[in-house]
Amino acid sequence: MPASVPPEERRQRASAAFCLSFLSLVFSVTAFSSSYWCEGMRKVAKPFCKGQSKGDQCIGFNSPDGNNSSAVQYIWETGDDKFIDRKFHAGIWYSCEEIINEVGEKCRSFISLTPDADRGVLWLSIVAELLYIILLLTGVILMSAEMCYYSAVINGLKINAFSAVVTVLAGLLGMVAHMMYTTVFQMTVNLGPEDWRPHTWDYGWSYCLAWASFACCMAAAVTTINKYTKTILEFKHKREMLERSLKIKYKFPDHTAPDKVCNVYVNSSHNRREDPAHAIKGLHHLATISVL
């Protein structure tokens, strides 16, 4: 039979679920608003040096035929030394790349870079991410309310069940949103504009943060469901022990009398805002009243 869970342990589980859910919310908001889901390099042709500027960042081309497109094309294709790697990073909302020979970055909307066939999937990913954040926020609010109503175990148990459902739904939405964005980005790499396609790329810290948010969300859901299940099992165990002790000590002519006593006990403990799993006091008095 399950052992009685101390109130301190249940309080620790509630605090752990709240902390995990809050951490998941912070991670998801940070990742959603950043543009470092993917990072990499773009190989672009070096520009021609202007004026007296020289160096590795530009091509010196002094020729009377300098405006000839075929000559320019020949110089650009002479080897890798005529190309330069330009860093870029992209997120859900926009993609940025560094500017050659200047300080700063040039950014453009990632939605405009996505192929038309995959733009609807990207919008679904954005909507799923927003719903994921909203459900996480709802779960955090419910878990904080559960901690405030901790003295009323019945009310806390109801809030606990609802927060568990909300957190599980949030985790499923987050997983779907991350996977959809991954698919859209890979399609954009293959079918996106020529002036954007990366030469090499990999997932960035925002992408890792988004999946860390999903992991924390599922850990919070498991902790909440575990706490709810253990509390329910504890209620059933205490009820069985109470019914057994009443049947042995008092010769009830009515077989449903112990159930009635348990119901009176649970209802009274609910109204008194006490812990019905541990404050089993006055049971003999309750049983005597029921018998009378």
Side-chain angles (χ1 to χ4, degrees):
M1 289 181 292
S4 179
V5 181
E8 294 79 11
E9 186 177 345
R10 291 204 301 273
R11 191 189 302 272
Q12 289 174 0
R13 287 203 188 98
S15 301
F18 173 79
C19 292
L20 286 170
S21 186
F22 183 77
L23 197 64
S24 176
L25 177 63
V26 173
F27 285 172
S28 63
V29 171
T30 304
F32 186 69
S33 59
S34 66
S35 62
Y36 286 86
W37 285 62
C38 299
E39 301 177 80
M41 294 283 187
R42 286 191 59 236
K43 191 177 288 293
V44 297
K46 293 180 181 179
F48 292 113
C49 298
K50 297 179 180 179
Q52 301 297 324
S53 62
K54 294 181 180 180
D56 297 335
Q57 302 296 318
C58 61
I59 300 175
F61 187 70
N62 298 320
S63 170
D65 220 10
N67 292 325
N68 191 322
S69 60
S70 61
V72 171
Q73 186 70 18
Y74 170 75
I75 285 182
W76 280 3
E77 293 179 352
T78 52
D80 286 342
D81 58 327
K82 301 303 180 183
F83 292 86
I84 186 173
D85 290 332
R86 179 186 293 179
K87 294 181 180 178
F88 87 98
H89 55 89
I92 293 179
W93 297 106
Y94 49 89
S95 173
C96 299
E97 59 185 25
E98 63 179 356
I99 304 174
I100 301 177
N101 295 328
E102 294 182 21
V103 179
E105 294 180 330
K106 179 180 69 175
C107 297
R108 45 185 168 172
S109 172
F110 182 75
I111 299 174
S112 63
L113 300 172
T114 308
D116 295 337
D118 300 312
R119 200 161 293 172
V121 181
L122 179 61
W123 279 112
L124 284 176
S125 173
I126 293 174
V127 171
E129 286 284 353
L130 289 173
L131 290 176
Y132 172 57
I133 293 174
I134 292 173
L135 288 176
L136 280 178
L137 180 60
T138 305
V140 168
I141 294 173
L142 289 173
M143 290 177 186
S144 61
E146 180 191 355
M147 296 174 68
C148 294
Y149 279 94
Y150 186 79
S151 56
V153 179
I154 302 298
N155 291 336
L157 199 61
K158 295 176 182 178
I159 298 175
N160 182 260
F162 192 48
S163 62
V165 173
V166 169
T167 309
V168 170
L169 288 177
L172 294 176
L173 272 175
M175 179 183 65
V176 171
H178 303 342
M179 293 177 66
M180 283 194 297
Y181 176 79
T182 304
T183 302
V184 170
F185 184 83
Q186 292 176 353
M187 294 300 296
T188 307
V189 169
N190 296 325
L191 304 175
E194 291 284 349
D195 62 342
W196 177 85
R197 293 183 191 177
H199 182 66
T200 59
W201 64 276
D202 200 354
Y203 297 110
W205 62 266
S206 296
Y207 187 81
C208 298
L209 202 65
W211 282 108
S213 170
F214 167 75
C216 290
C217 175
M218 296 311 295
V222 170
T223 305
T224 306
I225 294 173
N226 178 265
K227 178 177 178 292
Y228 177 82
T229 305
K230 284 198 171 185
T231 306
I232 291 296
L233 291 177
E234 186 180 356
F235 267 105
K236 290 182 178 179
H237 173 63
K238 291 295 180 181
R239 184 186 181 93
E240 291 174 359
M241 294 294 292
L242 177 59
E243 290 177 359
R244 188 175 303 146
S245 62
L246 289 174
K247 287 177 181 178
I248 293 175
K249 187 157 186 134
Y250 301 96
K251 305 295 185 180
F252 286 107
D254 184 7
H255 293 292
T256 61
D259 293 335
K260 295 177 182 178
V261 174
C262 293
N263 292 333
V264 171
Y265 168 62
V266 172
N267 293 331
S268 63
S269 63
H270 169 60
N271 295 329
R272 289 196 309 270
R273 297 172 61 85
E274 293 179 355
D275 189 348
H278 297 282
I280 307 182
K281 297 179 180 179
L283 288 181
H284 299 294
H285 180 63
L286 262 175
T288 305
I289 293 174
S290 179
V291 170
L292 292 175

